[in-house]
Amino acid sequence: MKHLYPADVGDYAKTFAVLAVMLQSVLTVVMREATKSSQEFLFGGIYELVKYAAPMFIFGIMYSTIRTNPGATMMNYPLYMRNRWHILFVPSIWWTFTYLLLTPQLQQGRPYNNLGTFCWQFINGNAAQHLWYNVMMLQFIIITPLFWWIARWINNNIKRGWFTLALALIFQICWHLMYEFQVFHGPHDHDWYLLDRVFPSFFIFAIFGTLLWCFHEQLFPLLSKFWWLILICWGLLYGFVTRNFFAFGLPVKFANAPYYLPSMLFYNLTAILAVAAFHLHHIHSHSCWLGRCHHIADYAHRAYLSHVFWLYWIWQLGKDLWLAFNPLLLLIVIYLLTVTCSFTSAYGFHKLWFKLKN
């Protein structure tokens, strides 16, 4: 089935992911600064609802990569990396420098105090609260040939597809169980915290993106037909993971909602399937959002990189005004401002860089 539309499933996944991660960041600020205890469960429920951002982005990247590089081998790798270097790595470097030099107060972990610790903060994703994910995502870009090889090896063979999915699922469940018992409120809660930014923690979602494209001709009709069943499963899993989250009681802490629990694994997989079904619905209805999501996805990574910077200054410059708002209204206003500033800067810097090069 040839792709004839301006946006693919990967574009929709990136769009949903970047909007979700921005909402997570805004929720963190509003929850810390302006929320009353009676509203904590409401904001916690919203936070858990969009706790699919990182897996969704990995899925979207790998789906689009496999689709746009059919039959790719290591011979294609230098050209692929040259393109990714300009699109992903260069903005990552510039924004990491920006956070460390202009807003060092946003650092996570132990702040830098010399050149060595500055370099360590630069590469480990602690320059700002969201850059841990960027470090993990770039690892998938580097090991993309592995997924090219998997796609070639599967070669539309259903048995090999099921074998790959089963193996990845078993590995991921074992990894999540290890994280739940050893890291999440476990004996290695502090010394193993960097495990959240290594690629094995999200490996299944890259495999999922690879498999969905490899078998899209067989799977797309099923997604279109059984979208209602996907929504039911997603809703049930959302109720389950939210109940587990709220079991920790007050105060509601977002740290109690990690990605690396077995229940979250299946919640995220159903969220991905729901977005894929939504994309197919837009294809069948010839929605204008096909083109819009394609453009949003083009700037999603750059907007993601900048959004915590803009969120910080939006809050700091209007703090006295914001505290007079109702918390739910405040959430909406800050979120819209953050999204607008992030995508405007992504588009503006892209155009500026293009003019400087030419």
Side-chain angles (χ1 to χ4, degrees):
M1 180 172 127
K2 190 176 179 181
H3 184 74
L4 300 173
Y5 303 96
D8 66 4
V9 172
D11 290 332
Y12 269 62
K14 294 172 202 171
T15 298
F16 272 79
V18 73
L19 295 176
V21 77
M22 289 183 186
L23 183 53
Q24 289 179 15
S25 298
V26 175
L27 277 165
T28 301
V29 172
V30 175
M31 188 81 148
R32 182 180 66 240
E33 302 286 351
T35 306
K36 300 175 182 177
S37 59
S38 60
Q39 298 163 322
E40 288 189 22
F41 284 122
L42 171 62
F43 283 80
I46 298 173
Y47 186 84
E48 196 75 354
L49 182 70
V50 294
K51 193 65 180 180
Y52 56 72
M56 187 82 74
F57 213 108
I58 294 301
F59 161 82
I61 288 173
M62 202 51 61
Y63 177 93
S64 295
T65 297
I66 300 301
R67 184 187 69 78
T68 55
N69 296 272
T73 66
M74 284 300 296
M75 296 291 291
N76 306 99
Y77 189 58
L79 180 60
Y80 170 80
M81 281 302 295
R82 192 177 305 125
N83 178 265
R84 296 299 97 182
W85 171 259
H86 293 292
I87 294 175
L88 300 177
F89 285 84
V90 171
S92 298
I93 292 170
W94 280 114
W95 274 109
T96 303
F97 270 124
T98 298
Y99 283 110
L100 288 174
L101 297 177
L102 298 185
T103 54
Q105 62 271 29
L106 295 180
Q107 290 177 84
Q108 306 294 294
R110 184 176 298 175
Y112 68 86
N113 52 29
N114 55 45
L115 181 60
T117 53
F118 178 91
C119 293
W120 176 235
Q121 290 290 85
F122 188 93
I123 65 173
N124 70 8
N126 278 341
Q129 66 191 47
H130 65 310
L131 292 181
W132 67 269
Y133 164 72
N134 193 60
V135 169
M136 179 271 301
M137 183 206 68
L138 293 178
Q139 293 171 49
F140 279 99
I141 301 302
I142 294 171
I143 66 169
T144 292
L146 170 63
F147 301 97
W148 287 345
W149 176 83
I150 290 172
R152 294 197 313 273
W153 178 74
I154 291 173
N155 193 28
N156 210 36
N157 185 305
I158 294 178
K159 290 184 178 179
R160 290 184 176 183
W162 277 113
F163 174 78
T164 302
L165 178 61
L167 202 62
L169 197 57
I170 291 170
F171 166 78
Q172 206 68 57
I173 290 173
C174 291
W175 183 274
H176 281 22
L177 287 172
M178 179 275 295
Y179 191 94
E180 182 176 3
F181 292 116
Q182 293 297 317
V183 183
F184 182 55
H185 297 313
H188 299 287
D189 193 14
H190 298 290
D191 49 330
W192 286 10
Y193 78 97
L194 290 176
L195 280 180
D196 65 3
R197 62 205 67 188
V198 295
F199 74 89
S201 295
F202 293 87
F203 189 75
I204 183 66
F205 304 106
I207 290 292
F208 211 55
T210 302
L211 291 174
L212 188 59
W213 174 250
C214 288
F215 296 103
H216 67 279
E217 292 184 353
Q218 298 94 325
L219 293 175
F220 279 5
L222 294 176
L223 291 177
S224 296
K225 184 177 181 180
F226 295 107
W227 61 268
W228 55 272
L229 183 58
I230 294 170
L231 285 181
I232 291 174
C233 292
W234 172 79
L236 291 173
L237 284 166
Y238 170 66
F240 180 76
V241 298
T242 303
R243 186 193 67 177
N244 289 344
F245 177 40
F246 289 162
F248 288 96
L250 292 172
V252 172
K253 296 180 179 179
F254 292 155
N256 291 325
Y259 285 109
Y260 323 104
L261 301 176
S263 57
M264 288 303 300
L265 169 62
F266 293 103
Y267 172 71
N268 288 316
L269 289 175
T270 55
I272 288 169
L273 289 176
V275 169
F278 184 61
H279 167 259
L280 294 174
H281 168 70
H282 274 184
I283 287 180
H284 296 149
S285 62
H286 305 288
S287 173
C288 61
W289 279 101
L290 288 164
R292 292 170 184 169
C293 282
H294 179 68
H295 292 304
I296 292 173
D298 279 344
Y299 296 99
H301 178 251
R302 283 163 283 189
Y304 153 78
L305 286 171
S306 69
H307 84 274
V308 170
F309 180 84
W310 300 119
L311 172 60
Y312 173 79
W313 288 113
I314 288 168
W315 181 262
Q316 291 299 321
L317 294 175
K319 189 172 183 179
D320 293 337
L321 174 64
W322 303 138
L323 291 175
F325 277 59
N326 171 275
L328 190 58
L329 177 61
L330 175 62
L331 174 68
I332 295 170
V333 171
I334 298 293
Y335 178 66
L336 291 176
L337 286 173
T338 302
V339 170
T340 301
C341 290
S342 301
F343 277 96
T344 300
S345 67
Y347 180 77
F349 288 142
H350 169 74
K351 289 298 182 182
L352 177 62
W353 177 247
F354 185 79
K355 286 184 177 181
L356 290 174
K357 286 199 303 181
N358 290 279

